[in-house]
Amino acid sequence: MKKFISAISLAISLIVANTAATAAESTVNFPAGQKAGTFSCTFDGSGKVRIDTHNVDAKGFCPGDPGVTRAGHLEGQSDDLGKYYFEIQKELQQSGSVTVSSVDTSVTRINCSAGHSGKPVYPYGDKYCAFLRR
């Protein structure tokens, strides 16, 4: 029985390690001295992704907006979110970033960059929450 439990534990560990190793992620940095900006992403594969902001307010990332799990954090389908660019604001004196990561392994690559790449602006949510400013 002890060997059986050890084998199951090892199998679960390998599955978790393999899943973590295949997660896709991309980060866009906004340096100190920049107050506003935009970013957009492209995805290889189709699945659920999460956008997390760090010292950045993103338009449409407010509680009550579609896909917002908590202020500054958005989850949605890569096919939908890849159609748009997102607007950000931040404090001039500090740097900030946005990290986009896959929630499941069906999105194999994420490429995000500053700018909008000719895409339309993200239409869901019309305000900045300013949750980072005290």
Side-chain angles (χ1 to χ4, degrees):
M1 184 68 166
K2 198 174 201 179
K3 286 182 182 182
F4 178 72
I5 292 172
S6 293
I8 289 175
S9 178
L10 178 61
I12 291 171
S13 296
L14 291 173
I15 290 169
V16 170
N18 188 37
T19 301
T22 59
E25 185 175 279
S26 182
T27 299
V28 179
N29 294 305
F30 298 97
Q34 180 180 2
K35 180 131 176 88
T38 60
F39 72 94
S40 64
C41 302
T42 58
F43 304 94
D44 289 351
S46 178
K48 194 170 188 178
V49 295
R50 177 178 47 245
I51 304 174
D52 297 309
T53 63
H54 310 281
N55 296 326
V56 167
D57 292 330
K59 192 172 187 180
F61 284 48
C62 302
D65 289 336
V68 176
T69 56
R70 66 183 193 273
H73 304 272
L74 176 77
E75 287 189 8
Q77 292 297 314
S78 60
D79 291 343
D80 296 330
L81 298 179
K83 296 176 186 176
Y84 305 107
Y85 77 89
F86 299 86
E87 298 175 324
I88 66 98
Q89 291 181 345
K90 64 173 204 55
E91 295 294 331
L92 190 63
Q93 302 83 5
Q94 68 184 24
S95 61
S97 64
V98 174
T99 300
V100 181
S101 54
S102 61
V103 174
D104 56 45
T105 58
S106 56
V107 176
T108 57
R109 188 169 155 262
I110 300 172
N111 183 24
C112 299
S113 59
H116 54 74
S117 304
K119 298 177 180 182
V121 67
Y122 183 68
Y124 307 108
D126 60 351
K127 64 187 175 301
Y128 295 97
C129 297
F131 64 90
L132 296 170
R133 298 186 186 115
R134 305 277 184 243

